[in-house]
């Protein structure tokens, strides 16, 4: 398994996989409702990410096949002992390749990348009701740190 940094031309495959992931996440919260009708509408966003520096996308590849993707973001918490972090924004393995250990291998590679880039810890968020993902991260050494709460701001009349 290898992580290959996404480049120009990878927008479609990233958008297609992201769209599958986004549709799966809709069942966990109304705040996950996507507005795109098709994955093509997400391609421009991935093009911007590839051109930008805020987030990095990697294709999870094995034997020449793209089996998933991961989106990372680096950041820092000044004044904290654990200051520099790499955050996993998306981790997606295509359904037919799940239970092959690809997610765990991708996490191991992300740890190496994070270490090389000066991060001292990894962060990830997961839908609280997505017990499969929560269990996966816990099995891979992540611990609970905080809870994210959300509230809709209704428009004033």
């Amino acid at each position: 398994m290898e992580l290959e940094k996404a480049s120009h031309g990878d927008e479609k495959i990233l958008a297609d996989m992201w769209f599958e992931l986004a549709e799966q996440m809709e069942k966990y919260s109304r705040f996950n409702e996507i507005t795109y009708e098709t994955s093509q509408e997400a391609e421009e966003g991935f093009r911007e990410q590839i051109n930008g520096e805020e987030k990095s996308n990697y294709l999870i590849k094995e034997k020449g096949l793209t089996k998933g993707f991961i989106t990372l973001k680096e950041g820092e918490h000044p004044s904290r002992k654990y200051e520099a972090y790499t955050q996993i924004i998306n981790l997606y393995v295509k359904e037919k390749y799940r239970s092959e250990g690809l997610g765990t291998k991708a996490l191991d590679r992300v740890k190496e990348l994070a270490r090389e880039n000066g991060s001292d810890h990894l962060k990830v968020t997961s839908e609280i009701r997505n017990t499969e993902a929560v269990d996966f991260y816990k099995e891979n050494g992540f611990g609970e740190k905080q809870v994210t709460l959300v509230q809709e701001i209704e428009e004033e009349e």
Side-chain angles (χ1 to χ4, degrees):
M1 190 288 311
E2 63 182 291
L3 293 184
E4 180 181 293
K5 190 160 186 178
S7 59
H8 293 288
D10 292 328
E11 298 90 343
K12 180 178 177 7
I13 192 162
L14 287 166
D16 287 347
M17 289 186 290
W18 173 84
F19 196 75
E20 289 177 25
L21 174 63
E23 285 183 318
Q24 292 171 10
M25 294 301 104
E26 283 185 307
K27 68 184 172 190
Y28 296 113
S29 171
R30 65 188 174 95
F31 289 96
N32 292 342
E33 184 179 337
I34 55 177
T35 58
Y36 297 152
E37 296 291 324
T38 66
S39 64
Q40 288 81 7
E41 295 174 85
E43 288 180 33
E44 181 58 32
F46 281 102
R47 191 170 296 109
E48 289 173 11
Q49 286 183 12
I50 289 169
N51 289 332
E53 295 183 20
E54 185 179 336
K55 295 177 185 166
S56 300
N57 289 284
Y58 294 85
L59 302 175
I60 299 171
K61 294 192 142 191
E62 189 172 60
K63 298 178 183 172
L65 295 174
T66 298
K67 296 186 172 185
F69 82 104
I70 192 161
T71 306
L72 304 175
K73 177 183 175 184
E74 292 180 10
E76 57 184 43
H77 297 295
S79 78
R80 293 199 183 151
K81 180 178 178 182
Y82 292 96
E83 178 179 356
Y85 66 85
T86 296
Q87 183 173 1
I88 299 166
I89 306 295
N90 297 307
L91 171 55
Y92 177 76
V93 174
K94 293 179 182 179
E95 199 150 343
K96 65 183 175 182
Y97 301 118
R98 292 182 187 162
S99 299
E100 294 180 5
L102 289 171
T104 298
K105 289 176 187 175
L107 285 179
D108 289 342
R109 184 66 184 111
V110 165
K111 287 178 197 174
E112 291 173 19
L113 288 171
R115 196 175 299 113
E116 291 167 9
N117 292 329
S119 292
D120 54 30
H121 67 289
L122 293 177
K123 293 175 29 165
V124 66
T125 58
S126 177
E127 293 296 329
I128 198 162
R129 292 183 14 225
N130 186 351
T131 55
E132 185 178 336
V134 171
D135 291 346
F136 167 77
Y137 288 114
K138 285 182 177 181
E139 289 167 8
N140 281 280
F142 286 80
E144 295 176 359
K145 179 185 172 283
Q146 67 188 61
V147 175
T148 301
L149 305 168
V150 296
Q151 179 185 51
E152 181 179 2
I153 299 172
E154 296 180 18
E155 293 183 31
E156 291 185 336
E157 293 183 23

